[in-house]
Amino acid sequence: MRLSDISPDETLWSLQRLSYAVEAELIGDDRIPPLHESLDDLLAEPLTWVGAFDEDERLIGAIAWSFADDGLLDIERLVVAPTAFRRGIGRTLVTEALTRAGDRGAVVSTGRDNKPARSLYERLGFAWVEDVEVIPGLWITRYAR
């Protein structure tokens, strides 16, 4: 696997939709905002992206973050191709973002019922902060590190 800085494009947008469709199924709710973004919406987000590429140079995962006003790394997106789940891609991407953040703390949110994502963040040292109902019936869990 090769990591590289990337810019949003149609390939990333398609990967994001596939990845968030799996999360929607896991949490039983398809109202995850990035699942419904247009390509133009994705392009307008002021995020830093790193992509993971397989040996055939196909995009198989990506992470995006910003830095909050308090300096914390805010992991805003983590997407992995469903065909590449359970191969350490998510762990590698989160670790890369944390490395780039240096000594800064980090925060992340995921669907409360997304057990694979929650397990990943907890294994990487994130601690539960709170569960929040962001819109009626849609719950997220917030973590900090």
Side-chain angles (χ1 to χ4, degrees):
M1 172 178 22
R2 179 181 67 82
L3 300 183
S4 179
D5 292 349
I6 61 171
S7 296
D9 62 12
E10 194 164 333
T11 301
L12 176 62
W13 178 72
S14 296
L15 174 63
Q16 177 174 277
R17 292 179 54 84
L18 288 170
S19 183
Y20 281 113
V22 172
E23 182 173 13
E25 190 173 314
L26 287 170
I27 69 172
D29 197 319
D30 72 350
R31 296 177 294 165
I32 303 167
L35 183 58
H36 300 285
E37 273 184 338
S38 68
L39 177 57
D40 287 339
D41 293 335
L42 179 64
L43 293 169
E45 289 292 328
L47 301 173
T48 299
W49 286 92
V50 169
F53 296 84
D54 68 11
E55 58 279 350
D56 295 322
E57 289 301 309
R58 289 181 299 230
L59 182 67
I60 55 173
I63 191 166
W65 66 85
S66 63
F67 287 101
D69 291 338
D70 56 8
L72 291 174
L73 172 82
D74 186 355
I75 298 173
E76 298 197 29
R77 311 281 169 92
L78 176 62
V79 296
V80 176
T83 58
F85 283 174
R86 309 282 186 258
R87 294 190 353 211
I89 296 161
R91 172 185 292 277
T92 299
L93 287 165
V94 173
T95 300
E96 177 70 12
L98 294 172
T99 298
R100 290 187 184 203
D103 292 337
R104 297 177 181 162
V107 295
V108 67
S109 299
T110 191
R112 182 184 66 184
D113 296 326
N114 185 344
K115 300 214 183 316
R118 292 186 64 180
S119 177
L120 169 68
Y121 295 127
E122 290 166 8
R123 284 192 318 268
L124 290 172
F126 284 85
W128 178 89
V129 173
E130 64 182 341
D131 290 333
V132 177
E133 188 176 21
V134 290
I135 55 178
L138 181 61
W139 288 85
I140 64 167
T141 296
R142 292 187 176 147
Y143 287 97
R145 182 176 189 271

